[in-house]
Amino acid sequence: MVKEFISQLPPDKLSPFAKHPYRVREDAAMDELVESIRVHGILSPLLARPKGDGYELVSGHRRRLAAQKLGLSTVPVLVREMTDDEAVILMVDSNLQRENLLPSEKAFAYKMKLEAMKHQGKSTSCKVCTKSRTDEMIGKHESVSARTIQNYIRLTNLVPPLLQMVDDGRIAFSPAVELSYLTRDEQTELWDLIGREDATPSLSQSLRMKQISREAKLTPEVLYAILTEEKPNQKEQIRIKTESLRKYFPCNYSAQQMEREIIKLLEARYRAKGRGER
């Protein structure tokens, strides 16, 4: 029988869940949550489990922060005894339905849940709880395919700078999955090239990189050749290497900022030329 009880606990007594994959962002949604709690209070108790001399928060990290912002002395908490694997599964499930989750958040959440379910299968002597079967179990629970789950988990193999580009929307999901098969050294080299050339690989380019990497032939020169080739849907364009322009701009300027400044200068020159011809 599960031992549980509801108690009013100080927010500071609730430690964040270890390796929590979700980010608690201080954005417009957080402002709305703070206002809602200020007016209506916390309608749904947070979920925690006893750990050491305190409690580990399993679900309710955003509500905890909102309560701290409001200076609330206590919050309602459902305290439940649970194993590490049970806590991971509850933590993941209680957050996966949130809107606007980043790809990296889903990736590490699915990975944590998959590993927890595999552990549970071992602890109950489940001999058919294979990786594919467990993926299917997660997929059915989340109303997504096992293949989608596997692809999200693949993203956890990306080096952090490339994964950040996926979160930022600069690299699409499908190319990112294929890039996750590159070695970490190859990924690091690719990230450096992306910054220097201000270009990102398409799905077809990512697939070629993956295949050549499997053949152990993906040298920096090959990466450069693939990344800088003109894509079929690209119009003819002028390409200037970022390092050629860097000396003319502050060191913290991004490629996009440099582009905007160059366009402004050209527009000003065009207007000045027009006035001179009148």
Side-chain angles (χ1 to χ4, degrees):
M1 184 175 180
V2 177
K3 294 182 180 179
E4 61 180 31
F5 60 89
I6 293 181
S7 179
Q8 291 287 335
L9 298 173
D12 294 341
K13 292 290 185 180
L14 301 167
S15 60
F17 195 87
K19 299 182 180 179
H20 194 282
Y22 305 106
R23 302 181 193 177
V24 180
R25 293 183 283 273
E26 299 194 40
D27 51 14
M30 175 57 69
D31 293 339
E32 292 176 4
L33 178 60
V34 169
E35 181 61 18
S36 175
I37 292 176
R38 186 186 69 79
V39 175
H40 305 289
I42 297 178
L43 303 178
S44 178
L46 289 67
L47 177 62
R49 64 171 179 162
K51 190 167 186 180
D53 296 330
Y55 302 91
E56 182 179 50
L57 193 57
V58 176
S59 175
H61 291 76
R62 296 178 71 250
R63 281 168 286 165
R64 172 180 176 268
L65 177 58
Q68 289 175 318
K69 285 178 172 291
L70 290 167
L72 300 183
S73 58
T74 62
V75 293
V77 181
L78 173 61
V79 180
R80 176 185 299 173
E81 290 187 1
M82 61 187 86
T83 66
D84 290 346
D85 293 332
E86 289 170 341
V88 165
I89 292 171
L90 275 172
M91 180 274 297
V92 170
D93 287 347
S94 63
N95 285 278
L96 270 176
Q97 301 307 318
R98 281 169 40 198
E99 296 180 1
N100 302 321
L101 285 178
L102 296 171
S104 64
E105 292 177 308
K106 287 187 177 182
F108 284 101
Y110 281 134
K111 183 177 182 179
M112 289 181 72
K113 183 176 179 181
L114 175 60
E115 291 174 349
M117 294 181 75
K118 288 166 68 177
H119 292 159
Q120 284 187 327
K122 290 178 181 178
S123 64
T124 55
S125 300
C126 174
K127 296 182 180 180
V128 295
C129 199
T130 62
K131 183 178 186 300
S132 60
R133 287 291 301 277
T134 311
D135 287 346
E136 290 173 10
M137 290 165 64
I138 295 180
K140 289 178 182 177
H141 183 74
E142 303 300 336
S143 300
V144 294
S145 68
R147 183 62 180 171
T148 298
I149 300 295
Q150 293 164 5
N151 284 341
Y152 268 109
I153 293 175
R154 280 297 322 170
L155 296 184
T156 64
N157 293 286
L158 288 172
V159 295
L162 287 183
L163 185 55
Q164 184 62 54
M165 294 186 75
V166 180
D167 282 344
D168 293 340
R170 294 188 60 194
I171 298 180
F173 180 76
S174 294
V177 172
E178 304 307 325
L179 295 175
S180 72
Y181 289 91
L182 273 57
T183 68
R184 296 188 72 82
D185 286 345
E186 291 166 346
Q187 290 183 41
T188 300
E189 178 67 27
L190 174 62
W191 175 73
D192 183 60
L193 281 172
I194 288 174
R196 284 192 277 124
E197 301 302 323
D198 193 26
T200 55
S202 65
L203 177 57
S204 62
Q205 289 173 323
S206 300
L207 285 166
R208 285 162 56 202
M209 290 177 183
K210 172 185 172 182
Q211 181 57 42
I212 298 173
S213 174
R214 284 178 169 174
E215 299 168 358
K217 297 179 181 178
L218 193 61
T219 63
E221 293 75 20
V222 172
L223 269 174
Y224 176 84
I226 296 175
L227 184 66
T228 58
E229 66 188 7
E230 185 174 329
K231 299 179 178 66
N233 62 345
Q234 283 182 327
K235 295 181 179 180
E236 184 177 356
Q237 54 184 281
I238 298 173
R239 301 186 66 88
I240 304 177
K241 291 185 178 181
T242 304
E243 61 260 27
S244 300
L245 301 172
R246 182 67 64 188
K247 62 182 178 181
Y248 300 108
F249 297 91
C251 59
N252 62 339
Y253 262 41
S254 66
Q256 290 76 17
Q257 287 175 308
M258 289 190 286
E259 180 182 359
R260 286 195 293 267
E261 290 298 321
I262 291 170
I263 291 174
K264 285 180 184 178
L265 290 170
L266 290 173
E267 288 176 345
R269 184 175 183 275
Y270 179 79
R271 287 193 295 268
K273 183 180 178 182
R275 287 194 295 269
E277 291 177 349
R278 291 174 186 171

